[in-house]
Amino acid sequence: MVPTTKDDLAKMVTQTTLETYEELTPQLVMLLDQVKHNDQLTEAQKNDEIMLNMMGYVKSCTNEIIIEVLAEILGLS
């Protein structure tokens, strides 16, 4: 679908965002769980690792959203 209005584009991006975050969330949960249960890390190190994992998650989601929306608009497979 090629959006013809800004509202159509916003709906496409929103839908893709929801799908992407739902798809990638289990991986984030697994990473966070590993960090929480890593007895070799101090609490400060765990907090740092969690923050890095969250930043990586947002970056990955953002990249995937951009790629998916552009691919759909441009008709790429």
Side-chain angles (χ1 to χ4, degrees), residues 41-52:
L41 299 175
T42 65
E43 285 304 311
Q45 289 171 321
K46 287 180 183 181
N47 289 336
D48 289 346
E49 285 293 318
I50 288 170
M51 188 168 53
L52 287 172

Side-chain angles (χ1 to χ4, degrees), residues 2 17 58:
V2 177
T17 299
V58 171

Side-chain angles (χ1 to χ4, degrees), residues 18-34:
L18 292 173
E19 292 169 2
T20 301
Y21 275 78
E22 286 176 4
E23 180 182 320
L24 296 179
T25 296
Q27 295 170 12
L28 175 64
V29 170
M30 184 181 67
L31 287 171
L32 296 178
D33 192 53
Q34 289 173 354

